[in-house]
Amino acid sequence: MNLKTFSLGAASAVTTFLVVGAVTIAVLSGPFGESPGVGILGVLAGFVVGLGAGVVVAAFAGRLSGAARAALVTYATFGVAFLAIAALQYVNVPGADAVFTFPIHLAVSALLALAAGAAVFGRFGRTPGRKPSV
């Protein structure tokens, strides 16, 4: 394991934590309403599944190449970008709340993730020795 695979594992854990936590809270909010227990269960489920995903990704990320590697970078970048924008709003950067409404927040995170994945695919996605088609 090197710094690259550890970073991909940590970033994938963050993304998985956010997704699983949000889905768990959304699913449990229906039958149980807006109770604090729902939020606690969502955070706990996100933490456990995110930790597992991070360990698995860190163990096997070095074996990936091409489109699989680009997809992993895209997935991992989404969570980190989402968290970075949320941090801007949390520390009250002037104008961040006005600019990053939730739909814009999601869209910017997705665009940053797609740009990172495309950059990785452009650099590592081609077969060695072949010229790219025009």
Side-chain angles (χ1 to χ4, degrees), residues 12-71:
S12 295
V14 167
T15 303
T16 305
F17 167 75
L18 292 172
V19 170
V20 170
V23 168
T24 303
I25 290 170
V27 168
L28 292 179
S29 290
F32 299 111
E34 297 293 326
S35 68
V38 170
I40 292 170
L41 287 175
V43 169
L44 181 63
F47 179 76
V48 169
V49 176
L51 186 63
V55 168
V56 169
V57 167
F60 294 107
R63 300 178 184 166
L64 298 176
S65 63
R69 185 181 203 176

Side-chain angles (χ1 to χ4, degrees), residues 38-129:
V38 170
I40 292 170
L41 287 175
V43 169
L44 181 63
F47 179 76
V48 169
V49 176
L51 186 63
V55 168
V56 169
V57 167
F60 294 107
R63 300 178 184 166
L64 298 176
S65 63
R69 185 181 203 176
L72 178 61
V73 169
T74 302
Y75 178 75
T77 303
F78 177 79
V80 174
F82 190 88
L83 206 58
I85 294 170
L88 288 175
Q89 293 174 319
Y90 181 75
V91 298
N92 293 325
V93 171
D97 286 336
V99 171
F100 292 112
T101 60
F102 191 70
I104 300 296
H105 189 154
L106 280 176
V108 169
S109 300
L111 288 174
L112 287 171
L114 288 173
V120 167
F121 188 71
R123 176 153 167 103
F124 299 108
R126 295 188 194 95
T127 306

